[in-house]
Amino acid sequence: MQGIRKLIASAAALLCVPALAIAQDAPIKIGVVSFLSGPAAGPFGVPARNAAEIMFEMINAGKVPAPYATKGLGGAKMQMSLVDESGGTTTQVTEFRNLVQRDNVDLVIGYISSGSCLGIAPVAEELKKLTVFFDCGTPRIFEERDYKYVFRTASTATMDSVGAALYVKDLKPNAKMIAGVNQNYAWGQDSWGDFELAMQQIIPGIKVATSQMPKLFAGQYNAEISTLLSSKADVIHSSFWDGDLEAFILQAGPRGLFKRSTVILTTGETAMYKLAAKIPDGVVIGARGPYGPYAPDNELNKWFSATFEDRYGVPPNYAAYQMAQAILGTKAAWEKAQAANGGKRPSQDQVIAAFENLTFVSPAGEVKMTNGKGHQAITGTAYGVTKKVGGKMTIDKIKRYPAEKVNPPDGVKAADWIKSGFKK
Amino acid sequence: MTSDRTPRILGAILVVLLAAGPFVPQWAIFLITIALAKGLVVLGLLILLRCGLVSFGQALYYCIGAYTAGMLGRLFEVDGVLTLMLAGMVVAAVTAYVLGFLLARYRGIFFGLLSLAVSMILYGLLVKSETLGSSDGFNVLPSTLFGIRPADEWVRYAVLVVASVVAFVAALLVHRYLKTPLGSLAPAIKDNEIRVEYMGASARYAIHVNYVIAAALAGLGGGLAATTVGHIDPEMAYWTTSGEFIFITILAGTGSVIAPFLGALIFGIIQTVAFDISPNTWQMVLGGALLAVIVFLPTGLWSLFRRRRAT
């Protein structure tokens, strides 16, 4: 019923929208897309949605600390249209078009899966709609094409692998052999590929003992763990997440894998509190950037983590931080554009111009939109090892790496940059 | 039988689609185009279902069609939308011809699971192939019609025109085919295969032919979906995609060649409304709709039209 009514309403709206002048304080409709069902919902999608809900509510109420204390986006209230990211690329492209052409949103913030981002980016360009990716990792988006309407406020997955490799050198400078266990799909293949390349540059002559590639959501890793145990690698790299990560930790712990080798879990932060009792000390934990335990000790972060934990009972994980970062980046760009427009509501083109090459602060510190011709963010990253203090999970031996050290310069493909020995 | 009206109804739907297209909002055009692409696949499933066969792996040919279209653009920069769709259809049909020698021997659950297994093999291969973007897939080139790329605001309509005409022709041909001796063998095979063999017809041959036709339609639908969506990934061969096609087949019913397209459109509308009204539990709305159809309309949505006509 509602669908038909909507159909008629949108058909009518389509005819009259251009005639209507947009009021200064009309609400700004924002499509928010995140996994609300399926395996990626638990570790990433739902925390990200929770962060979006908090940020929308607090920004509209003007309760966010400086420099984001103004209400809404330049005074106009933000209104959320929430969409589930599951259902495949065809469904996602359909729903993106619905958001833009039926619901007439002003912009879209979202997408966790790299497949979604690759599918959505050309459509955003076709529909000429400002779209901000907050989490997806593949560097291919801005390597394959230039975009005008697409932005990404988080670093690419290249940073995670390069950061991990640098941390190996700092933690175990005499490492001779590495091994990997990654899921056999794009994320796992790319994560391991970049890590392997980066290790060869950082510690020349390092050997790869084995690269295990079980299929996604396999759940049983006893064969892989046996191979890793007998490989005697100094360092084991894994980009496992959620259920696979938990299964791996639970199966590898009792067999002493964590004692024999230093294990790097590049997305380990999403599981570190839940599995605090099962993760031994000395495991390297990544958070895909300076998020969660690696976030800086500033006002904005104190406010964000306290507000989030207060409402949801758990600390925000990196997906939540990335969502907050995307929303604050949009707010910064919008208000910069509004200021340049003499305090009047900016047009989309003005917001885009302000967003390009923008530097803004988020709970994770400084974010610089320097890559992808000003559309791709770079941030610093950090790694550390687990250490239980009085039964509570904490992170020790934190090393921070500045943005320029772990991200390629603008216009250079990630793989070429690593192969060139990280040339500036 | 009153189904002789089918060609006229098909023609009327085509005219309405083409005439109304320019006045329909862009997002709805996209929804209809995707429904036509999925409807083509379901049309193939309808032919198989009339033989009593349920393919849990029709996504195999959907994916082959899509990847053929994508690869032609990627490797040879072919961008003619009709060429891409026909190429997808041919590659799917040839694959089905070869696999048909194996699959046409099996019935029931064995046929279903074997077809599922083959489609999962393709999925596995694509996920392992990093040059094709692995599970992330890759973008399909913007396509042209007879070498022309319409202006931005007319692209969606142009794609709709192509999709409607292709679907019209396909539905009409299938409708004709079902009336030929070979085509009308399907319900007989479903009822009693031994009797069919005694009559002197080869059930295996008929199934093989039907299987190839179904695959060709799925390849055509895949090629259309690839050029419409603009991005392809291995999930197109995943079993959940096949499941969606079966879902639509059950929703639609096998009463007419129009049913698959109607079913696909209604599926698209239910899904998109469910996404809109309950983003956290849209699967439940979709599942509830299917349950309601199974309980109240055991032979699918098409039975609504049947009943009305009978009274």
Side-chain angles (χ1 to χ4, degrees):
Chain A
M1 239 15 92
Q2 202 180 335
I4 298 163
R5 214 171 292 156
K6 236 181 172 151
L7 216 121
I8 299 165
S10 338
L14 206 80
L15 296 173
C16 9
V17 155
L20 286 173
I22 298 162
Q24 178 72 17
D25 55 353
I28 296 161
K29 281 172 111 180
I30 301 176
V32 173
V33 190
S34 176
F35 278 106
L36 306 176
S37 59
F44 314 123
V46 171
R49 180 205 61 195
N50 291 346
E53 275 173 0
I54 285 188
M55 294 309 289
F56 271 59
E57 189 186 315
M58 293 294 165
I59 289 176
N60 281 340
K63 285 186 189 158
V64 183
Y68 298 106
T70 52
K71 282 188 181 179
L73 297 187
K77 272 210 160 46
M78 299 158 52
Q79 207 179 63
M80 190 190 308
S81 282
L82 190 62
V83 173
D84 186 0
E85 198 184 324
S86 47
T89 315
T90 307
T91 305
Q92 283 315 309
V93 169
T94 310
E95 292 309 319
F96 181 84
R97 286 174 183 276
N98 287 347
L99 277 175
V100 175
Q101 296 181 320
R102 180 188 68 195
D103 303 344
N104 293 310
V105 296
D106 295 283
L107 65 126
V108 177
I109 298 175
Y111 302 106
I112 290 167
S113 143
S114 290
S116 306
C117 285
L118 286 166
I120 293 295
V123 186
E125 207 69 4
E126 181 196 323
L127 302 183
K128 301 188 170 55
K129 187 55 71 180
L130 174 58
T131 301
V132 184
F133 295 150
F134 78 98
D135 173 270
C136 56
T138 183
R140 281 172 59 196
I141 294 167
F142 294 103
E143 282 181 356
E144 290 178 356
R145 237 187 101 171
D146 290 335
Y147 290 101
K148 180 182 172 194
Y149 297 92
V150 180
F151 290 85
R152 176 161 54 186
T153 52
S155 301
T156 64
T158 304
M159 178 182 82
D160 311 332
S161 294
V162 173
L166 288 170
Y167 192 69
V168 167
K169 165 100 176 179
D170 287 339
L171 192 69
K172 292 191 125 186
N174 299 320
K176 301 226 160 23
M177 231 191 306
I178 55 169
V181 54
N182 292 280
Q183 295 141 320
N184 201 349
Y185 80 117
W187 164 257
Q189 292 157 357
D190 294 349
S191 294
W192 169 252
D194 284 353
F195 179 75
E196 188 185 349
L197 275 180
M199 275 316 320
Q200 284 162 353
Q201 291 294 336
I202 291 167
I203 305 182
I206 199 155
K207 286 198 182 63
V208 177
T210 172
S211 162
Q212 294 294 310
M213 286 265 172
K215 73 177 200 294
L216 186 59
F217 307 139
Q220 279 294 333
Y221 303 104
N222 285 315
E224 284 81 8
I225 292 166
S226 299
T227 314
L228 291 171
L229 279 168
S230 60
S231 76
K232 301 202 173 67
D234 302 298
V235 173
I236 294 168
H237 167 275
S238 177
S239 61
F240 274 19
W241 51 272
D242 194 46
D244 286 4
L245 176 59
E246 290 179 21
F248 179 71
I249 291 171
L250 294 176
Q251 290 163 26
R255 298 183 63 186
L257 185 68
F258 295 112
K259 286 201 193 76
R260 179 169 287 192
S261 310
T262 300
V263 179
I264 304 176
L265 304 172
T266 57
T267 72
E269 186 254 351
T270 54
M272 64 180 268
Y273 297 110
K274 205 161 130 196
L275 292 183
K278 303 283 180 196
I279 303 178
D281 285 358
V283 175
V284 182
I285 296 281
R288 295 211 53 217
Y291 310 115
Y294 304 116
D297 190 25
N298 62 24
E299 247 352 270
L300 205 52
N301 180 35
K302 275 186 214 151
W303 168 83
F304 178 66
S305 50
T307 315
F308 193 98
E309 193 162 354
D310 187 42
R311 174 153 332 165
Y312 296 106
V314 287
N317 67 10
Y318 76 73
Y321 272 88
Q322 285 173 327
M323 176 57 93
Q325 185 159 298
I327 295 170
L328 292 176
T330 307
K331 182 170 162 66
W334 189 285
E335 288 172 359
K336 184 181 161 198
Q338 183 155 326
N341 196 29
K344 285 204 291 290
R345 188 172 177 141
S347 69
Q348 180 173 266
D349 279 353
Q350 287 166 329
V351 176
I352 287 170
F355 218 147
E356 284 175 347
N357 300 303
L358 180 73
T359 298
F360 65 96
V361 289
S362 87
E366 196 176 56
V367 182
K368 289 176 273 194
M369 305 292 296
T370 54
N371 284 18
K373 302 217 164 87
H375 290 243
Q376 165 65 52
I378 60 167
T379 64
T381 193
Y383 275 89
V385 296
T386 52
K387 186 182 184 186
K388 258 168 261 156
V389 180
K392 225 179 146 229
M393 180 64 91
T394 61
I395 297 287
D396 191 29
K397 297 184 189 163
I398 295 180
K399 284 283 290 183
R400 294 182 181 283
Y401 304 99
E404 286 75 12
K405 194 162 182 185
V406 283
N407 287 286
D410 189 19
V412 180
K413 285 193 176 180
D416 298 341
W417 174 64
I418 299 174
K419 279 184 205 146
S420 75
F422 311 107
K423 226 183 239 144
K424 284 291 140 191
Chain B
M1 290 289 274
T2 49
S3 51
D4 286 322
R5 282 160 50 185
T6 304
R8 266 181 288 153
I9 299 175
L10 278 175
I13 295 174
L14 177 69
V15 171
V16 169
L17 271 180
L18 297 189
F23 308 102
V24 174
Q26 296 269 321
W27 61 268
I29 292 189
F30 187 80
L31 202 70
I32 297 169
T33 314
I34 290 297
L36 289 170
K38 288 182 178 170
L40 282 169
V41 186
V42 177
L43 186 61
L45 281 176
L46 177 144
I47 300 175
L48 289 175
L49 204 61
R50 283 168 63 101
C51 304
L53 295 171
V54 180
S55 164
F56 286 114
Q58 212 60 6
L60 168 69
Y61 301 108
Y62 182 64
C63 186
I64 287 179
Y67 268 76
T68 305
M71 296 295 291
L72 277 179
R74 201 178 157 101
L75 298 177
F76 307 107
E77 302 195 349
V78 178
D79 59 0
V81 62
L82 289 173
T83 320
L84 293 176
M85 285 169 69
L86 287 176
M89 185 175 97
V90 169
V91 175
V94 170
T95 315
Y97 176 71
V98 176
L99 286 176
F101 287 107
L102 177 71
L103 280 155
R105 296 152 160 255
Y106 294 90
R107 305 287 180 270
I109 191 73
F110 305 103
F111 175 83
L113 287 184
L114 207 54
S115 59
L116 173 72
V118 183
S119 87
M120 289 307 287
I121 290 174
L122 178 68
Y123 173 79
L125 287 175
L126 288 176
V127 165
K128 285 186 173 69
S129 56
E130 289 183 48
T131 45
L132 294 182
S134 179
S135 55
D136 285 346
F138 59 89
N139 287 347
V140 178
L141 286 183
S143 47
T144 58
L145 183 60
F146 305 120
I148 304 161
R149 173 125 184 112
D152 276 354
E153 57 271 34
W154 289 101
V155 168
R156 289 297 131 213
Y157 179 66
V159 177
L160 177 73
V161 171
V162 172
S164 316
V165 172
V166 167
F168 170 74
V169 173
L172 207 61
L173 288 178
V174 169
H175 182 69
R176 289 271 156 79
Y177 166 72
L178 292 178
K179 287 184 181 307
T180 61
L182 190 61
S184 48
L185 214 52
I189 293 173
K190 186 181 176 185
D191 287 345
N192 194 332
E193 202 175 318
I194 296 169
R195 206 176 268 177
V196 170
E197 297 276 348
Y198 266 93
M199 275 172 15
S202 164
R204 197 196 284 182
Y205 173 72
I207 287 175
H208 199 158
V209 171
N210 286 343
Y211 186 69
V212 172
I213 294 175
L217 288 166
L220 196 62
L224 175 59
T227 50
T228 309
V229 175
H231 184 82
I232 49 178
D233 54 40
E235 197 152 317
M236 297 184 103
Y238 200 56
W239 64 269
T240 49
T241 312
S242 295
E244 194 178 294
F245 294 135
I246 301 225
F247 186 120
I248 299 172
T249 314
I250 295 170
L251 191 75
T254 55
S256 159
V257 292
I258 306 171
F261 299 99
L262 184 77
L265 184 63
I266 288 175
F267 174 83
I269 292 174
I270 296 176
Q271 190 182 38
T272 205
V273 170
F275 255 86
D276 192 40
I277 58 174
S278 64
N280 289 297
T281 52
W282 60 272
Q283 290 98 333
M284 216 156 79
V285 177
L286 212 55
L290 183 67
L291 269 181
V293 169
I294 289 173
V295 172
F296 297 109
L297 302 166
T299 51
L301 286 169
W302 191 249
S303 56
L304 281 177
F305 296 86
R306 268 281 165 76
R307 246 177 247 166
R308 197 170 296 166
R309 218 180 286 166
T311 48

